[in-house]
């Protein structure tokens, strides 16, 4: 770790090896969000070879995205059971194998199963654990870290699309798929660097009845996530569905569903909308590049802004402001027909879209706490998968029926504005309720964090340091009280708090 490494007994390092983890998360996020869209470069060649229509071929990307979002609970369960690093290594292998096998496909169904389902599952098993590890390594700088990691999406989208076009022209779609499969093996390298952050050394402890020695060893090594109630007996939850009863999580889940219904629609229809307005094809395609370039700058900038001491406690309101800005941009640009007006729309849309992308996972971490973030993220991605499967396809059907893009911009903008208003109003109500009870120290999620601390009886600083398995050091049961002086004597020789 070197001089920049965290000191034992300190909280999340906010640096050191965390910057390597951040770089890996940047790459994984870029593949997860950019790869399904970049594959569309090969659609025309696939239509020619398989004699299929555009809608049939586009199901490859749709299935990939559905697997990325819809398998969130599966990823949460695997992370809880085995830890982040093994799951990411498996995900990288599956993502690569899917594209390699797709290069030998002879039917569209085989493409659906390989490039769609298998690669999508592999990307999902990389994406979610990388965000979990990012939250374990960063606390004070977490908004900035989330913003920098989210910038991988526009960067990789801008790079993968031209790369795919070059591969298609030189090697055909089969050779392109094969080489892209090799490129996805970089996800394995990203998973290999996801080692658990060092924390306080394990104090002397007495195993509870019924716990095997290998289970305690797995907890110390961070191989699984677990909870240790005050009674002292380790209790494992593969998927903590009780997070659904949390008010802050419910507010976020409803907001995310409303947001996903309309957030992606303008970007998907932008090029065709510009062509319908009489813009040349090359200029229309460049509009998406403008959105991407602005997005690259907006995400880390918004992450740094959200990390300011005065703004970070109000990150939920900043997120709702970003949603409002995005929705109002859609509504005000529905009648934009000139190229200059479309460019202005792309700049405003890229800024607000980048703000939403930089803040969405920071808000969820602050709402539920790091110890419940794996389960919460899996459930939120499942909810978002349903909205993604409803929103853009429904918008496409409306365009076919009405032959008018304006109604789509009005509808999408209204949905995103509704999401922003709901987030602000509901968060305000939840905050008013939580003011009656003092929040736990270091808690940024309002009522949810303080309630969790009271229920589990653990120190609030522990879940944010390492995976739940690392923090599942057993609390002595009443029967083991005579051994309590031995536990207290362990940490005293090392004055970790004073040295920090």
């Amino acid at each position: 770790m070197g001089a920049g490494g965290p000191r034992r007994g300190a909280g999340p390092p906010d640096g050191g090896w965390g910057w390597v983890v951040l770089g890996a998360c940047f790459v994984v996020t870029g593949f997860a969000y950019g790869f399904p869209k970049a594959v569309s470069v090969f659609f025309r060649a696939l239509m020619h070879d398989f004699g299929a229509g555009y809608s049939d071929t586009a199901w490859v990307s749709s299935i990939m995205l559905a697997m990325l979002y819809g398998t969130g609970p599966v990823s949460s369960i695997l992370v809880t059971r085995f830890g982040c690093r093994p799951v990411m290594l498996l995900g990288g292998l599956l993502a690569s194998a899917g594209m390699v096998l797709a290069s030998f496909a002879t039917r569209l169904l085989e493409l659906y199963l390989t490039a769609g389902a298998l690669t999508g599952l592999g990307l999902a098993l990389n994406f979610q654990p990388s965000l979990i590890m990012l939250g374990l390594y960063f606390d004070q700088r977490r908004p900035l870290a989330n913003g920098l990691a989210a910038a991988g999406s526009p960067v990789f989208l801008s790079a993968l699309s031209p790369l795919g076009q070059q591969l298609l022209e030189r090697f055909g779609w089969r050779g392109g798929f094969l080489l892209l499969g090799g490129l996805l093996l970089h996800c394995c390298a990203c998973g290999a660097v996801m080692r658990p952050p060092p924390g306080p050394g394990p104090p002397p402890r007495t195993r509870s009845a019924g716990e095997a020695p290998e289970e305690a060893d797995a907890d110390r090594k961070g191989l699984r996530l677990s909870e240790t109630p005050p009674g002292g007996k380790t209790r494992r939850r593969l998927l903590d569905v009780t997070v659904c009863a949390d008010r802050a999580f419910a507010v976020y889940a409803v907001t995310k569903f409303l947001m996903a219904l309309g957030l992606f629609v303008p970007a998907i229809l932008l090029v065709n909308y510009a062509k319908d307005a009489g813009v040349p094809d090359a200029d229309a395609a460049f509009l998406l590049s403008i959105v991407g370039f602005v997005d690259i700058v907006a995400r880390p900038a918004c992450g740094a802004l959200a990390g300011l001491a005065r703004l970070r406690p109000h990150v939920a309101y900043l997120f709702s402001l970003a949603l409002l800005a995005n929705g109002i941009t859609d509504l005000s640009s529905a009648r934009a027909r000139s190229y200059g007006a479309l460019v202005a729309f792309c700049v405003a849309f890229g800024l607000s879209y980048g703000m939403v992308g930089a803040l969405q996972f920071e808000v969820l971490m602050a709402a539920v706490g790091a110890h419940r973030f794996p389960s919460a993220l899996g459930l939120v991605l499942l909810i978002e998968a349903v909205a993604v499967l409803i929103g853009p396809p429904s918008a496409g059907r409306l365009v076919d029926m009405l032959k008018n893009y304006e109604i789509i911009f009005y509808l999408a903008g209204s949905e995103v504005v509704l999401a922003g208003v709901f987030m602000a109003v509901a968060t305000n109500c939840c905050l008013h309720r939580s003011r009656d009870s003092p929040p736990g120290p270091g808690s940024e999620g309002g009522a949810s964090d303080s309630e969790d601390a009271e229920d589990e009886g653990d120190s609030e600083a522990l879940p944010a340091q390492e995976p739940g398995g690392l923090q599942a050091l057993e609390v002595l049961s009443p029967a083991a009280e005579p051994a309590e002086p031995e536990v207290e004597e362990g940490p005293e020789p090392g004055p970790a708090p004073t040295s920090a």
Side-chain angles (χ1 to χ4, degrees):
M1 295 290 293
R7 299 176 180 175
R8 297 183 65 84
D14 275 311
W17 191 257
W19 297 117
V20 180
V21 173
L22 173 59
C25 190
F26 176 90
V27 174
V28 169
T29 303
F31 276 125
Y33 281 116
F35 201 82
K37 302 172 185 176
V39 171
S40 61
V41 172
F42 299 91
F43 282 175
R44 188 177 298 274
L46 294 175
M47 292 166 57
H48 178 269
D49 283 7
F50 292 105
Y54 181 83
S55 59
D56 295 332
T57 309
W59 271 104
V60 175
S61 292
S62 299
I63 294 174
M64 196 180 297
L65 285 171
M67 293 296 293
L68 175 64
Y69 289 113
T71 57
V74 176
S75 182
S76 295
I77 291 173
L78 292 177
V79 168
T80 303
R81 180 63 181 85
F82 300 106
C84 292
R85 185 188 295 177
V87 173
M88 291 187 66
L89 292 173
L90 174 63
L93 292 175
L94 290 179
S96 176
M99 294 303 295
V100 171
L101 292 175
S103 65
F104 300 98
T106 57
R107 295 182 300 170
L108 277 178
L109 178 60
E110 296 173 1
L111 283 178
Y112 297 159
L113 296 176
T114 54
L118 193 58
T119 299
L121 176 61
L123 293 175
L125 295 182
N126 273 273
F127 176 59
Q128 186 171 337
S130 68
L131 292 178
I132 295 171
M133 290 299 297
L134 191 67
L136 298 175
Y137 268 93
F138 289 91
D139 182 20
Q140 297 298 325
R141 297 177 179 174
R142 194 177 65 200
L144 175 61
N146 278 320
L148 291 172
S153 174
V155 169
F156 269 64
L157 180 59
S158 302
L160 287 176
S161 294
L163 174 62
Q165 185 63 39
Q166 291 294 323
L167 294 177
L168 177 63
E169 294 176 357
R170 295 189 179 187
F171 305 104
W173 70 268
R174 294 186 185 274
F177 276 19
L178 186 64
L179 293 173
L180 288 177
L183 188 65
L184 285 173
L185 286 175
H186 285 83
C187 293
C188 294
C190 295
V193 304
M194 295 293 181
R195 66 189 187 194
R205 48 169 287 187
T206 303
R207 289 188 293 106
S208 63
E211 183 186 18
E214 57 270 16
E215 290 183 354
D217 185 64
D219 280 339
R220 287 193 298 269
K221 293 181 180 179
L223 298 181
R224 59 182 172 90
L225 303 176
S226 59
E227 298 179 5
T228 305
K233 185 176 181 180
T234 301
R235 132 177 95 98
R236 293 189 299 164
R237 289 181 178 178
L238 296 181
L239 184 64
D240 187 8
V241 295
T242 60
V243 71
C244 297
D246 189 282
R247 291 195 306 268
F249 175 80
V251 169
Y252 183 85
V254 174
T255 301
K256 206 71 161 60
F257 180 82
L258 295 173
M259 178 199 79
L261 287 175
L263 182 67
F264 309 107
V265 172
I268 294 174
L269 300 179
L270 177 61
V271 175
N272 289 331
Y273 175 59
K275 291 179 181 179
D276 186 65
V279 177
D281 292 354
D283 293 337
F286 185 69
L287 292 174
L288 278 181
S289 300
I290 296 176
V291 174
F293 292 146
V294 176
D295 194 2
I296 292 173
V297 178
R299 296 196 183 212
C302 183
L305 182 66
L308 297 178
R310 293 186 178 182
L311 292 180
R312 191 173 183 187
H314 310 290
V315 66
Y317 294 106
L318 189 61
F319 181 59
S320 65
L321 180 63
L323 291 173
L324 287 173
N326 187 270
I328 293 175
T329 299
D330 296 340
L331 294 174
S332 60
S333 304
R335 292 182 174 272
R337 309 296 290 180
S338 65
Y339 189 70
L342 289 174
V343 170
F345 162 77
C346 290
V347 173
F349 183 85
L351 284 172
S352 57
Y353 187 81
M355 291 177 63
V356 172
L359 297 174
Q360 54 180 344
F361 298 118
E362 169 63 24
V363 174
L364 181 59
M365 288 180 186
V368 302
H371 58 297
R372 293 198 297 176
F373 180 70
S375 297
L377 179 60
L379 295 172
V380 164
L381 290 178
L382 179 60
I383 294 172
E384 190 172 3
V386 177
V388 168
L389 291 176
I390 293 175
S394 300
R397 291 185 179 180
L398 285 176
V399 170
D400 293 336
M401 292 172 55
L402 303 176
K403 306 298 181 183
N404 188 350
Y405 287 93
E406 291 182 14
I407 186 66
I408 303 303
F409 278 81
Y410 286 131
L411 181 61
S414 300
E415 292 166 344
V416 179
V417 166
L418 179 61
V421 172
F422 176 82
M423 183 71 184
V425 174
T427 300
N428 186 48
C429 295
C430 289
L431 288 177
H432 277 303
R433 289 184 179 181
S434 63
R435 285 173 186 169
D436 297 335
S437 58
S443 173
E444 296 146 1
S448 61
D449 292 329
S450 58
E451 290 170 0
D452 294 337
E454 293 172 3
D455 292 341
E456 297 183 15
D458 294 331
S459 174
E460 294 85 357
L462 291 181
Q465 292 178 7
E466 298 182 30
L470 289 174
Q471 302 304 331
L473 297 176
E474 196 172 300
V475 179
L476 292 176
S477 60
E481 287 180 357
E484 185 174 354
E486 298 179 4
V487 178
E488 294 179 351
E489 292 175 2
E492 288 182 1
T498 56
S499 63

